Amino acid sequence: MATTVDPKQLNNTLDDPAERSPLVLGGLDYEGVTDTAAAVWDAERPPMVWWVLLLIALSLLGLLGACVNHLLMAGTGVWGNNNPVYWGWPIVNFVFWVGIGHAGTLISAILFLFRQNWRTSINRAAEAMTIFAVVCAGLFPGVHIGRVWVFYWLFPIPTEHLAMWPNFRSPLLWDVFAVSTYATVSLLFWYMGMVPDIATFRDRTRSKIGKFIYGILSLGWTGSSRAWHHYEIAYTILAALATPLVLSVHTIVSFDFAVSQLPGWHTTIFPPYFVAGAIFSGFAMVVTLLVPARKLCGLENLITIRHLENMNKIIMATGMMVGMAYGIEFFMAWYSGVEFEQFALSNRAFGNYAWAYWIMVSCNVLAPQVFWFKWCRTTPWFMVIVCIFVNIGMWFERFVITITSLSRDFVPSSWSYFHPTWVDISMLVGSFGLFFTLFLLFCRFMPIIAMAEVKSIMPVEDGHH
């Protein structure tokens, strides 16, 4: 339960070297943390805002379903892909969503191994965001193959019956391994962390159906010392497994481009450049989701301004890395002395798609610089606006890399301007419907805050753990 609020706790963004800033405000004790984190789940009916947002998300999801159905009936010709832009809108969306899925595992695994306590209130929602983003990412290569009923040809199944063999030297096949491994480990890591909190829901629910479902999901959790011991070991092992995957998955995604011979793609800077960009966009999406979610669910005392400020500092740092990568690309093109590379880079900045390039630079390089000012880092509505710009910029980054390089390749007679169709645009918008639908259902029915982890960083109360 909440007790008297210490006035010093009203602003936990003040840096006092002699004292650690509190990460749980409002004078909450262990019971208060549980009551606050489970408030939306405990309510008989969710807030009206939740219903409105869910209705909007389901409408967009319906649009996505209609577009996928149209695509399967009519074929991939309904997209704007042309010659030479064979990789158009779908691959842009795929790389964008994979990048969004990076921050969750980074917050959970890497910050856990480095014992960063501020991660405890935000890691659960970020992990869920990772899973949902990977689901959205998997949709696009899944339907891009055209004949989805033979999707299993994507997998390396050695059989003469198919009259084909996977090309193990192709980075597209590496993608299958990398993304599926990342999704599997992230899902296990997310679920493992939720087990104690699902058991709390099992014990609090008064519904027989709820008790049955949460009872199965909690895997018979007892809360004993032995159970906690096994839990800590399993969680640490999964964190250790997930950490290299954070770096490897987007590195391999970047190989889709970097190992080609196409000017504008064939560059060794892509792996670190893509990883920094993925962390950049992932954190921006976490802030975009958590600021409204903390208000909707009444979590201001758990997801504090200090949590948001720390994420904004990471966004600013990774934004500068991305900006430096943009500059290095031009330097490498000039230093290589290869005229095709030099043309490809100058075409990005001053060619037919210059508008997209400068939107990218404005959103990714200039917009995060406002986070040098504390007011910008600690004002929720303002940081959401900046993070939306970052997400727009990161989508355009993938658009610029893919479209501008393909539309102006080696043979000028084949140059063409890419125009997205209404199906392209609707599928992108609809994928946000899928993402937000999953996230809203998660907020309503699953523990959005890692209650057990939050309590682990609080002062010991009456000898209880």
Side-chain angles (χ1 to χ4, degrees), residues 96-117:
F96 171 75
W97 281 116
V98 169
I100 293 294
H102 253 65
T105 308
L106 174 77
I107 292 172
S108 299
I110 296 180
L111 296 185
F112 170 75
L113 294 177
F114 282 98
R115 305 302 182 197
Q116 294 296 306
N117 291 336

Side-chain angles (χ1 to χ4, degrees), residues 137-439:
L139 169 71
F140 290 97
V143 296
H144 192 277
I145 60 177
R147 293 176 291 171
V148 294
W149 48 93
V150 291
F151 71 93
Y152 54 88
W153 287 11
L154 286 170
F155 299 101
I157 305 172
T159 170
E160 295 180 356
H161 179 68
L162 297 178
M164 60 180 289
W165 282 81
N167 182 3
F168 287 97
R169 293 181 298 178
S170 168
L172 296 178
L173 184 61
W174 306 345
D175 258 356
V176 176
F177 287 109
V179 176
S180 59
T181 304
Y182 181 68
T184 303
V185 174
S186 297
L187 182 62
L188 287 173
F189 192 50
W190 177 55
Y191 181 66
M192 176 63 66
M194 279 198 303
V195 168
D197 297 328
I198 292 175
T200 301
F201 280 12
R202 174 200 63 193
D203 298 338
R204 289 172 68 95
T205 184
R206 294 181 292 275
S207 163
K208 291 184 178 178
I209 297 176
K211 195 172 284 294
F212 175 74
I213 294 174
Y214 288 117
I216 292 176
L217 293 176
S218 61
L219 305 177
W221 176 264
T222 61
S224 66
S225 297
R226 180 180 293 274
W228 277 109
H229 177 67
H230 291 160
Y231 169 82
E232 294 287 348
I233 292 175
Y235 197 74
T236 304
I237 291 174
L238 284 173
L241 288 174
T243 297
L245 291 176
V246 173
L247 304 178
S248 70
V249 67
H250 222 54
T251 297
I252 292 174
V253 169
S254 77
F255 286 168
D256 292 347
F257 305 93
V259 302
S260 71
Q261 296 297 318
L262 192 71
W265 287 8
H266 183 57
T267 172
T268 53
I269 198 178
F270 267 9
Y273 167 15
F274 269 50
V275 171
I279 296 170
F280 179 51
S281 62
F283 269 94
M285 184 60 83
V286 173
V287 172
T288 305
L289 289 177
L290 285 188
V291 169
R294 69 193 282 270
K295 187 70 176 178
L296 175 67
C297 302
L299 301 173
E300 290 92 340
N301 288 328
L302 298 177
I303 303 174
T304 67
I305 294 297
R306 188 170 189 85
H307 294 94
L308 301 176
E309 185 187 24
N310 286 351
M311 287 193 285
N312 290 332
K313 289 176 180 176
I314 293 176
I315 290 171
M316 185 174 66
T318 51
M320 287 188 286
M321 293 179 195
V322 169
M324 186 178 73
Y326 295 161
I328 291 293
E329 277 193 300
F330 279 93
F331 171 77
M332 292 173 68
W334 168 77
Y335 193 67
S336 68
V338 178
E339 57 181 326
F340 302 107
E341 283 289 337
Q342 293 169 354
F343 170 77
L345 270 294
S346 66
N347 182 59
R348 280 185 189 175
F350 307 108
N352 291 343
Y353 293 97
W355 57 272
Y357 182 83
W358 292 110
I359 287 176
M360 175 191 78
V361 172
S362 301
C363 293
N364 292 345
V365 180
L366 301 181
Q369 299 308 312
V370 300
F371 286 146
W372 284 104
F373 303 99
K374 185 161 185 170
W375 181 87
C376 300
R377 296 196 306 269
T378 57
T379 305
W381 67 267
F382 186 81
M383 67 178 76
V384 168
I385 292 175
V386 175
C387 289
I388 289 174
F389 276 116
V390 169
N391 282 307
I392 292 172
M394 287 307 295
W395 186 89
F396 269 101
E397 179 189 291
R398 282 69 182 235
F399 178 90
V400 166
I401 292 173
T402 306
I403 305 297
T404 61
S405 302
L406 287 174
S407 64
R408 293 286 187 273
D409 62 1
F410 298 99
V411 184
S413 62
S414 68
W415 290 359
S416 179
Y417 196 87
F418 172 81
H419 295 279
T421 66
W422 68 269
V423 179
D424 283 315
I425 298 171
S426 299
M427 287 191 67
L428 172 61
V429 175
S431 66
F432 280 94
L434 172 61
F435 181 75
F436 286 119
T437 298
L438 294 172
F439 188 77

